[in-house]
Amino acid sequence: MEATVSEAYGEPISAGASPHGGELTVRFDKAVDVGRIEMLLRQARERGGPAPETVSTLNLVAILFNAAQYERAREALEVAGTLHPCRLLALVADEVIEEESLTASVSVVRSGGAITMERVVLTATGRAVRHLESAMMGLLRPDLPMVVVWGGRPHGDLLKRVVDSADRIITDSGARPPSHLAETAKLLSRGAPLGDLAWARIFPWQSLAAETLDLPNLREHRGNIRKARVLCAGAVGSEGLLLLGWLQSRIKRLEVEIAAEGHVDEASSARSTAVPRAAPMGLGHVKLLELTAPPATFTLHREKDLLLAQVKGDDDGWCAHRIRLPPETPGRLLALELKLLSGRDELYAQAAIAAAKLLPAGRT
Amino acid sequence: MPYAPEHDEVPNPLRPGLRGDSAPEPCAVVIFGASGDLAHRKLVPALYNLAIGAHLPAAFGIVGVSKTPYTHEEFAGEMREAVGRFSRTKPVDPEIWQDFGAGMRYVPGSFDDPDTFARLRTQLEELDRVRSTRGNRLYYFATPPSAFPTLLKQLKAAGLISGPFDTRFTRVVIEKPFGRDLPSARALNRLVLETCDERQVFRIDHYLGKETVQNLLVFRFANAIFEPVWNRRYVDHVQITAGEDLGIEGRGRYYEEAGILRDMIQNHVLQLVCLSAIEPPVAFDADAVRDEKIKVLRAVELFDSPEQVTRNVVLGQYAPGSVAGADVPGYQQEKDVASGSRTPTFVALRLNVRSWRWDGVPFYVRSGKRMPKRATEIAVHFRPVPHPLFGEGATQPNVLIIRVQPEEGIALRFSAKVPGERFRPRTVSMDFRYGTTFGAASPEAYERLLLDAMRGDQTLFTRRDEVEAAWKIVGNILKVTESAEFPPPHPYPAGTWGPDAAEELLVQDRRAWRRL
C-alpha cells in the first residue's frame, strides 16, 4: 500500500503535464493511501509559514474520464472553487490506458491569509480506476455538502451511486449530444438532485422573455401564447431543447418547434479582450426564440453581447426590451450552479423532463 | 416588483422560480451636481463597473446637470477620464465605454432656472426614444442640501416626477447630511415628501452598502448559535470605532459647519449601533428591517442635561502630528478653517440602549479624523468566565470583531491551550476575511446601492423616521457641546487614537479601548 516512489516537492514525477508551483505529488503502487494524502495536505498548508486557517463551504468533487477532460475543466473548477471555498477532489479515471497507475497531486490556494481551496487530483489509469471511489469517500471533509461535477454521460452505476450520496450533481448537457437529455430526464424523474450548466446558459433568455411579458403594454399577451419556436446555431443543442421544455412546462398547450440554422463563427470565439465579454455563440446554442401570441409575435434574438426582444403586431414592430449578456469568465456558470448547494431545481427538472419528450425527432 | 398587478391580470407564467439575476428596469439616471467630486470619484465609476458586470439594464442613460458649460461630448470625455482614474477596474474598456458613453447627455444650467429643467425634460424624452429608458427616472442629488428644495420644486413644476403607482418609476436619491439638526431634518423630510412618496425616496448611507455591514445581518440571523448570547447576560460591552487616517481633505468650509457628530455619528456610526443591537426582524424586507433599527434608536438613552453630556461625551480636535510616517498639519491649519475653531474632529461616546436585551451594556463609540490608521469595526466584548478555573487573569474574555474596513471580515478571540504539559491557556484569533476568502472582488458600496435604488429596494437606505430618531440623539448632544459654556474640544496629536480623555471614559468603567 505504501507509495514506492518518493515524494517530490513541487517537481513532477509522473509523465504528463507539469504540476502547478507548490504541488506535492505522490504515486501509489497498489491503492490510494488516504492518510498519506492528508499528510501532504497538511504539509501544503503549512508551507510558507504558520498554519493558516482553512475555510471550506463544500466538498467539490469532479469526476472526469481522461486527462484532457480535466485540463479543459481545470480553470473553471479552480475559479468556481475559489468563489466557493472548498476541498476540490478531482478524480480523473482513464480506463482506456491499460497500464495501471495511481497518482495524487496535492496543493492549496491561499487568499487573504486563509486557505480557501485544498486541491487533490487523483489520476488513475487501467484497473487502478476502481480505487478512486473509496479514496474519494475517505477524503471528504465532514459536515460539508458534497457537490459532484459529472463529466460523463448521465447514466451508469457509478452515477447512480453518486446520485444517492451527493447533495447535488452538476452536469453540462450542452457538452453532450442532446439525445442524452433522455437519460437526464429519467434521473430527474426519480428525484435526482441534478443541476446543468446548459440550464444556466439560458438564464438570460428566460429573463428577457419574462421581463418582456412584464412590460405594462404587453401583459395582455400573457394568456395568448400559442407557439414557441427556437433556432439553434449550427445544430440543435440541449440549450434550445431546455428552453422549449421550460416554456412547455410553464404554458399549457403550447405548440413548439426547434430547428438549426447557419453555422458557428469560429473567429469570434478567438477574440481576446481586456474586459471579459459574453461567451461567443457556440454550436447548438440558442440564436433565436419566437413566441406567437396572436396578433403579436415576440422575437428574441442575440446581437453581439445583447439579447433583444422585438414585438410585432399589425405594425412594423419595435424593440420592446433588451438585456446585456453577462461577461463570460472561467467558472462563471459553475459558480452560478454552486449557489444552490443541495436539492433540486424544480424548474430545471420540469424543463428537462419536458425537453426529453421533444426527442428524438424534436420536430426539426 | 414595481407594479401592483390589477385584480384580473393574468400572472406572468414565466416568472416563477427563475434563478438568473435580472437587471433592473430600463432607466435614466440624472445626476445633479455632475461636475462635482462625488460624480467623478464614485457615481459614474460605480455605474461603469455595473455596466462591465452586465448588471445595468441595457436600456440605460445618464444625464449630468450642473452649471459647468459642457457639451454632451465634453461631459462624456470628462467622465471617461474620471472612470479611468477612479474605477476599481482599469483600464477603461473601449467597447463597453462605446455603449455606456453613447447613453450620456448633459444639461448645463442653474437649478434656479426653469429652462434648465425644460431642457432636461427634452433630453430625457430623447433618451426614452433612442435608448428605450421608458420614462423611468432616478434623480441623484449630488449637491449640498441647500439645493434640495429648489431641485424638488423645479422637478415637480417641470412634470418630471411621476406618482408612486405610475407605470414609470421616479426615485430620488439623497446624500447625507439629511439636515443639520432635528428641525431642519424634519423640514427637509416634509419638503421631500410634498413632492414624492416615501417609497420613492432613497437616503443613502454608503456604509450600508458595504458587504460586511450587510454580512452582520446574515451573521446574526442565519446562525442560531450567536443569538442566545447576544444580550446583556453575556455581553459586557460593545466598542464601535470608525476612524480615518485622512484629514478633512480641503473640505474646510463643509467641515466647519458639520463637525464629527453630524458627519459621522448621526448617520454611519448610529447605523452600526443599530445593526449590532437590533432584534431579529419578522421578515427580510426593507420596512421590517428598518422598523427594528428605529426601535434601537428610540431606545438609546438621550442626554437631557449638560452633566450627562459631560459625563458621556468626549470631543477632540486634531493638532499637528505624524500619520503613516508623514508630518501633517493640525485642523486649525487646514484651508478654510478658522483659527480658534471649536469644531470637533473626534468624538467618543458612551451610549446606553435601554431595551430588554441591552440595558446596562455600554456601547462605547469613537470616531475621528487623523487616526493612526483607517479602521471601522464593531467589537462585542463578552463577559469573563464566571469562575477562573485556570487561575486569575489566565484567560481573556471572548471578543467577536466585525471589521467593516479595511479587510472586511469577522474575527473571534477565544482561549486555547498552549501545547505542553500544563494547562496554560492563551488567546488565539479565528479570522475570516470576507472579501478575499470568497475569491471575488467585493463591489464598491455605491455599486450595490445604485443597483438597489434602480431596483426599488430600500432595505439598505434610511427611512424618514430613522433619520429623525438619529437626529434626536445627536441633536441633544450638539445643543450642549455647541454652547459657549461647553469647553472646547481636547487637542490630540494627529496619528493618535484621540485625546486622553477618551481613554478615561473607559478607564473609569475599568475597561479599555481595543488596540487596533
Side-chain angles (χ1 to χ4, degrees):
Chain A
M1 296 287 184
E2 282 293 309
T4 55
V5 180
S6 60
E7 298 144 22
Y9 293 80
E11 290 162 348
I13 58 161
S14 58
S18 304
H20 302 91
E23 212 170 60
L24 304 175
T25 309
V26 62
R27 178 178 286 154
F28 297 105
D29 262 356
K30 296 201 191 306
V32 177
D33 183 343
V34 168
R36 176 63 65 93
I37 294 177
E38 289 285 3
M39 190 190 76
L40 290 181
L41 273 172
R42 265 196 306 278
Q43 286 171 358
R45 281 198 293 270
E46 288 164 11
R47 276 167 107 191
E53 293 83 7
T54 302
V55 179
S56 278
T57 60
L58 75 152
N59 290 294
L60 180 60
V61 179
I63 300 179
L64 304 153
F65 295 93
N66 54 64
Q69 197 182 27
Y70 171 63
E71 281 307 312
R72 283 195 299 273
R74 185 161 56 85
E75 195 180 1
L77 287 169
E78 285 174 9
V79 168
T82 319
L83 290 174
H84 299 270
C86 64
R87 175 173 281 194
L88 170 61
L89 303 174
L91 310 179
V92 183
D94 196 339
E95 285 180 300
V96 170
I97 298 176
E98 282 191 18
E99 187 191 336
E100 270 193 49
S101 73
L102 204 47
T103 313
S105 296
V106 165
S107 56
V108 300
V109 174
R110 291 163 195 269
S111 185
I115 304 282
T116 53
M117 186 197 281
E118 300 171 303
R119 178 176 41 219
V120 178
V121 182
L122 290 174
T123 307
T125 59
R127 290 195 66 242
V129 162
R130 70 192 186 281
H131 295 302
L132 288 179
E133 193 178 343
S134 58
M136 175 200 79
M137 298 304 292
L139 287 168
L140 293 173
R141 284 186 74 101
D143 296 323
L144 293 178
M146 178 169 83
V147 177
V148 173
V149 176
W150 178 259
R153 191 168 164 168
H155 78 159
D157 289 334
L158 176 58
L159 180 58
K160 281 197 188 112
R161 291 197 296 279
V162 168
V163 164
D164 286 339
S165 54
D167 293 283
R168 197 153 154 73
I169 303 116
I170 298 173
T171 62
D172 186 357
S173 56
R176 308 207 69 83
S179 56
H180 292 185
L181 270 177
E183 288 157 342
T184 302
K186 264 193 211 138
L187 289 166
L188 286 166
S189 301
R190 286 185 224 128
L194 294 184
D196 191 343
L197 301 190
W199 177 245
R201 231 169 254 127
I202 62 169
F203 284 168
W205 291 91
Q206 294 172 315
S207 292
L208 181 65
E211 287 171 24
T212 303
L213 288 180
D214 272 341
L215 297 176
N217 52 337
L218 296 176
R219 295 176 182 191
E220 58 182 295
H221 300 291
R222 284 174 179 175
N224 291 348
I225 301 173
R226 299 281 176 261
K227 184 178 170 183
R229 183 173 78 99
V230 164
L231 273 182
C232 300
V236 171
S238 295
E239 286 86 359
L241 288 164
L242 285 170
L243 189 58
L244 279 185
W246 170 64
L247 288 164
Q248 267 202 320
S249 67
R250 301 305 314 160
I251 301 170
K252 290 189 176 59
R253 293 185 289 279
L254 181 74
E255 191 188 326
V256 297
E257 186 184 316
I258 188 165
E261 187 185 82
H263 63 277
V264 171
D265 181 0
E266 299 288 342
S268 72
S269 61
R271 55 180 187 156
S272 135
T273 52
V275 168
R277 289 280 185 279
M281 183 99 69
L283 185 67
H285 288 183
V286 177
K287 65 188 268 193
L288 182 140
L289 165 65
E290 190 179 81
L291 298 173
T292 307
T297 304
F298 296 78
T299 307
L300 284 61
H301 69 278
R302 179 169 171 176
E303 239 178 59
K304 286 194 183 176
D305 289 358
L306 296 177
L307 291 185
L308 305 175
Q310 317 251 183
V311 182
K312 193 168 177 194
D314 299 327
D315 52 9
D316 290 337
W318 52 290
C319 179
H321 192 32
R322 53 189 195 146
I323 63 173
R324 187 172 296 284
L325 287 166
E328 194 60 32
T329 47
R332 183 187 74 85
L333 291 175
L334 182 56
L336 259 182
E337 280 296 302
L338 286 175
K339 284 188 182 179
L340 200 61
L341 277 186
S342 63
R344 278 161 62 93
D345 179 343
E346 284 301 332
L347 205 63
Y348 166 66
Q350 289 164 15
I353 290 168
K357 291 181 184 155
L358 299 175
L359 300 165
R363 301 186 197 185
T364 55
Chain B
M1 292 292 289
Y3 310 119
E6 302 288 339
H7 288 298
D8 54 356
E9 193 174 80
V10 173
N12 188 338
L14 303 184
R15 268 281 169 216
L18 280 191
R19 276 176 49 213
D21 279 336
S22 59
E25 289 181 81
C27 70
V29 173
V30 180
I31 302 176
F32 293 100
S35 59
D37 213 42
L38 187 65
H40 281 68
R41 283 176 173 265
K42 295 290 182 189
L43 299 182
V44 179
L47 290 168
Y48 168 77
N49 281 308
L50 288 173
I52 284 190
H55 299 300
L56 278 190
F60 180 77
I62 298 174
V63 184
V65 184
S66 76
K67 276 192 195 151
T68 311
Y70 293 129
T71 60
H72 297 317
E73 293 73 26
E74 283 167 349
F75 176 64
E78 179 78 11
M79 290 299 107
R80 181 172 177 148
E81 208 186 298
V83 167
R85 282 181 66 199
F86 299 113
S87 164
R88 64 178 169 85
T89 53
K90 293 179 176 60
V92 176
D93 183 89
E95 224 177 286
I96 299 276
W97 187 265
Q98 191 178 11
D99 184 60
F100 186 73
M104 276 192 189
R105 304 288 185 273
Y106 186 76
V107 174
S110 160
F111 298 156
D112 293 313
D113 184 357
D115 182 60
T116 305
F117 293 82
R119 285 182 285 116
L120 173 61
R121 188 187 179 123
T122 304
Q123 286 302 330
L124 289 170
E125 285 167 355
E126 192 245 341
L127 280 176
D128 288 341
R129 280 192 306 275
V130 164
R131 302 279 292 183
S132 308
T133 45
R134 244 184 258 162
N136 294 325
R137 316 282 184 235
L138 185 76
Y139 298 119
Y140 202 111
F141 289 8
T143 64
S146 54
F148 295 176
T150 308
L151 285 172
L152 288 163
K153 283 191 185 112
Q154 296 279 34
L155 283 168
K156 189 169 183 180
L160 287 170
I161 298 201
S162 49
F165 298 112
D166 201 302
T167 52
R168 307 156 298 166
F169 72 70
T170 300
R171 296 179 186 133
V172 173
V173 183
I174 305 176
E175 276 272 347
K176 70 165 185 80
F178 314 120
R180 258 189 66 79
D181 48 30
L182 183 56
S184 61
R186 281 186 174 145
L188 179 60
N189 276 330
R190 258 196 312 272
L191 175 73
V192 169
L193 295 173
E194 275 167 18
T195 316
C196 311
D197 187 85
E198 177 65 30
R199 281 164 287 204
Q200 297 172 290
V201 182
F202 291 72
R203 297 175 192 80
I204 234 179
D205 183 328
H206 71 269
Y207 265 44
L208 295 178
K210 292 182 179 295
E211 287 288 343
T212 312
V213 172
Q214 297 160 39
N215 197 28
L216 183 49
L217 289 173
V218 173
F219 184 79
R220 283 194 59 195
F221 303 127
N223 295 295
I225 58 170
F226 296 112
E227 266 312 285
V229 300
W230 205 270
N231 56 65
R232 59 195 302 273
R233 283 188 64 196
Y234 295 95
V235 174
D236 181 71
H237 68 280
V238 178
Q239 293 184 18
I240 297 177
T241 299
E244 295 173 38
D245 52 355
L246 298 176
I248 58 172
E249 302 299 288
R251 292 156 66 220
R253 247 182 245 130
Y254 158 74
Y255 210 82
E256 282 280 87
E257 295 296 312
I260 192 83
L261 284 156
R262 291 186 179 88
D263 187 49
M264 290 291 291
I265 301 295
Q266 187 274 333
N267 36 76
H268 303 326
V269 176
L270 282 178
Q271 286 294 321
L272 295 179
V273 171
C274 286
L275 292 176
S276 313
I278 61 169
E279 298 297 323
V282 298
F284 196 67
D285 64 53
D287 279 330
V289 173
R290 297 189 298 180
D291 285 345
E292 296 305 328
K293 288 200 285 173
I294 303 252
K295 285 184 198 168
V296 173
L297 292 171
R298 288 185 182 147
V300 171
E301 189 174 9
L302 297 176
F303 300 144
D304 284 328
S305 66
E307 291 73 33
Q308 275 187 302
V309 171
T310 305
R311 217 171 26 248
N312 295 292
V313 180
V314 171
L315 298 181
Q317 190 187 85
Y318 66 85
S322 171
V323 177
D327 287 338
V328 297
Y331 178 72
Q332 293 189 21
Q333 287 77 51
E334 302 270 20
K335 183 169 172 284
D336 295 324
V337 172
S339 164
S341 166
R342 288 165 55 101
T343 303
T345 63
F346 172 91
V347 64
L349 301 172
R350 176 175 41 223
L351 299 175
N352 187 20
V353 180
R354 303 215 62 184
S355 67
W356 192 267
R357 184 189 284 263
W358 292 115
D359 200 3
V361 176
F363 278 68
Y364 298 106
V365 164
R366 62 178 167 174
S367 181
K369 295 252 181 225
R370 287 293 186 210
M371 306 271 95
K373 56 167 121 167
R374 179 174 173 248
T376 301
E377 65 162 47
I378 301 161
V380 181
H381 292 249
F382 291 88
R383 294 185 185 280
V385 293
H387 173 57
L389 197 61
F390 302 103
E392 277 299 337
T395 58
Q396 298 292 317
N398 303 122
V399 184
L400 181 75
I401 301 123
I402 296 119
R403 278 192 312 272
V404 177
Q405 62 188 15
E407 291 197 342
E408 299 178 69
I410 295 175
L412 177 66
R413 202 176 74 184
F414 61 97
S415 296
K417 178 183 174 296
V418 176
E421 307 101 15
R422 301 188 59 192
F423 273 94
R424 196 150 49 95
R426 74 159 188 209
T427 302
V428 296
S429 181
M430 192 160 65
D431 201 331
F432 168 70
R433 308 229 177 142
Y434 188 83
T436 51
T437 293
F438 277 95
S442 296
E444 288 277 321
Y446 274 97
E447 291 171 38
R448 173 67 196 263
L449 293 169
L450 282 166
L451 201 56
D452 277 3
M454 285 188 265
R455 287 192 171 123
D457 184 347
Q458 290 178 302
T459 310
L460 299 179
F461 296 85
T462 49
R463 205 166 67 187
R464 167 196 191 166
D465 44 359
E466 255 182 282
V467 169
E468 292 175 14
W471 270 122
K472 217 167 169 183
I473 297 166
V474 172
N476 273 25
I477 299 173
L478 287 167
K479 207 161 52 184
V480 173
T481 59
E482 288 185 342
S483 70
E485 294 77 29
F486 197 78
H490 302 272
Y492 61 95
T496 63
W497 287 106
D500 293 341
E503 291 293 329
E504 262 309 302
L505 192 66
L506 270 70
V507 166
Q508 65 192 230
D509 293 342
R510 290 204 287 229
R511 297 180 178 106
W513 288 107
R514 250 172 58 75
R515 189 171 63 244
L516 299 184

